[in-house]
Amino acid sequence: MRMKRFAAAVAACALSLSLAGCVGGEGASQAQPSQESAAPESAAESVSAAASAGTTEGAAYTVGICQLVQHDALDAATQGFKDALTDALGDAVTFAEGNASGDPANCSTIVNGFLSQGVDLILANATAPLQAAASATADVPVLGTSVTDYATALEIENWTGTVGGNVSGTSDLAPLDQQAAMLNELFPDAQTVGLLYCSAEPNSVYQCTQIEGYLEEYGYTVEWFAFTDTNDVASVTQSACNASDVIYIPTDNTAAANTEAIANVVLPAGVPVIAGEEGICGGCGVATLCIDYYDLGYTTGEMAAEILAEGADVSTMAVRTAPNVTQKYNAANCEALGITPPEGYEAIA
């Protein structure tokens, strides 16, 4: 969906009107273009004009980015996405960004604001933004990132790897069988593993369900400990510590935003945490088998460039994954708990 450049006076007027509106709801940051951009045409007019011209020269695009909450993993994915699109399209792309401050209700407000601005594509960074965007539009291309399982997030049966419609994206799911194997390598004598997660995040529930089976194959007893939001993270973590030899935390946005609160419980209790991603491990864990969220976001940005500049059909694009996984450890937490990681583990910087 491409936009012709209007005359300078018209573009300046349209930009000033766009910047005057507030996209985010209460508790959400405002979503505004991060660079000057021309006023958008309708999607149909843009596509028709570009098809007639047979070239992307002179095209301009506005991309809306809805991020659930600010933390290292999601921030890295957003930056990778923006870098990939900028590398591909240069000054032809501008970004309108909104952060939901951890409140899923704000995601709908932000996404609807993007649609009223006439964005050409939406990046949904995490599950709640993806659900909001998929519900809000069937026309504007939506790419998810930092989403673990699209079938769970969007309630898709008979998953084939492609969402269809106007949605695709990238998955942040690291191999859960390998994470269970890593936990067993580090703690072969442990008896009980506590699964600590946010019950409001369906992808966290999915990960816990999957890894439970792998852990039980190693002979562990598995117990589930769910917090509902930030208010009960510390108390639920304490319950998990009381009942567990090791704690596993999946890729979970609420946990990622509250690693200090978790660390303040698990470290004094002497209970090690294996984490599903690097940011959580860096805050409260001892080891992780993780992906690089910047690379994941960059891959998503490359998909966006294919859609915007090359006319790729989002409905046929399979969900992609991060190219590599890495075994990493938290040096400070390992030292505090007297844990020596095996060779081959990389220290978190």
Side-chain angles (χ1 to χ4, degrees), residues 249-253 255-256 259 262 273 275-285:
I249 302 177
T251 301
D252 183 288
N253 291 302
T259 56
I262 296 172
V273 169
E277 61 95 4
E278 181 177 346
I280 296 174
C281 186
C284 62

Side-chain angles (χ1 to χ4, degrees), residues 259-260 262-264 266-267 278-285 330 333 348:
T259 56
E260 183 177 358
I262 296 172
N264 288 339
V266 298
L267 294 179
E278 181 177 346
I280 296 174
C281 186
C284 62
N330 182 320
N333 288 353
I348 295 174

Side-chain angles (χ1 to χ4, degrees), residues 1-313:
M1 290 169 280
R2 305 183 176 93
M3 299 175 287
K4 298 177 182 176
R5 296 193 179 277
F6 285 7
V10 176
C13 177
L15 179 62
S16 65
L17 290 174
S18 174
L19 295 178
C22 173
V23 173
E26 183 177 352
S29 61
Q30 294 184 0
Q32 299 177 347
S34 57
Q35 308 172 31
E36 283 194 5
S37 61
E41 292 178 322
S42 70
E45 289 174 344
S46 299
V47 172
S48 176
S52 298
T55 178
T56 60
E57 183 178 357
Y61 312 94
T62 301
V63 174
I65 300 174
C66 180
Q67 181 172 318
L68 176 61
V69 67
Q70 182 177 5
H71 65 67
D72 290 346
L74 299 190
D75 292 348
T78 291
Q79 190 60 55
F81 175 81
K82 292 169 66 176
D83 287 351
L85 262 183
T86 301
D87 288 347
L89 303 179
D91 293 338
V93 62
T94 60
F95 302 99
E97 301 185 51
N99 192 298
S101 301
D103 186 350
N106 287 331
C107 296
S108 295
T109 304
I110 293 169
V111 167
N112 286 327
F114 291 157
L115 296 175
S116 69
Q117 287 179 248
V119 298
D120 300 291
L121 182 143
I122 294 173
L123 174 71
N125 192 348
T127 300
L130 177 70
Q131 292 169 329
S135 297
T137 177
D139 301 314
V140 176
V142 173
L143 292 178
T145 193
S146 311
V147 176
T148 302
D149 181 62
Y150 283 73
T152 299
L154 300 177
E155 299 182 349
I156 300 172
E157 296 183 359
N158 302 318
W159 174 248
T160 62
T162 302
V163 176
N166 64 319
V167 178
S168 188
T170 56
S171 167
D172 63 357
L173 182 63
L176 293 172
D177 58 340
Q178 294 181 40
Q179 290 186 352
M182 183 183 66
L183 187 151
N184 181 250
E185 177 184 35
L186 292 169
F187 306 106
D189 298 326
Q191 295 183 353
T192 301
V193 177
L195 306 181
L196 183 64
Y197 66 102
C198 178
S199 59
E201 298 189 32
N203 278 313
S204 295
V205 178
Y206 169 82
Q207 292 171 80
C208 288
T209 300
Q210 296 300 309
I211 202 168
E212 179 181 33
Y214 296 126
L215 292 170
E216 289 177 341
E217 289 178 3
Y218 287 105
Y220 295 113
T221 298
V222 179
E223 301 287 346
W224 292 51
F225 299 90
F227 43 81
T228 57
D229 54 35
T230 59
N231 295 319
D232 59 348
V233 167
S235 62
V236 174
T237 300
Q238 186 62 64
S239 296
C241 286
N242 294 341
S244 309
D245 300 310
V246 182
I247 290 173
Y248 174 79
I249 302 177
T251 301
D252 183 288
N253 291 302
T254 306
N258 291 273
T259 56
E260 183 177 358
I262 296 172
N264 288 339
V265 177
V266 298
L267 294 179
V271 179
V273 169
I274 298 297
E277 61 95 4
E278 181 177 346
I280 296 174
C281 186
C284 62
V286 295
T288 180
L289 178 74
C290 63
I291 67 168
D292 187 313
Y293 275 82
Y294 178 87
D295 290 346
L296 188 72
Y298 199 95
T299 297
T300 319
E302 292 176 327
M303 295 174 72
E306 293 171 18
I307 294 168
L308 295 174
E310 300 174 20
D313 183 356

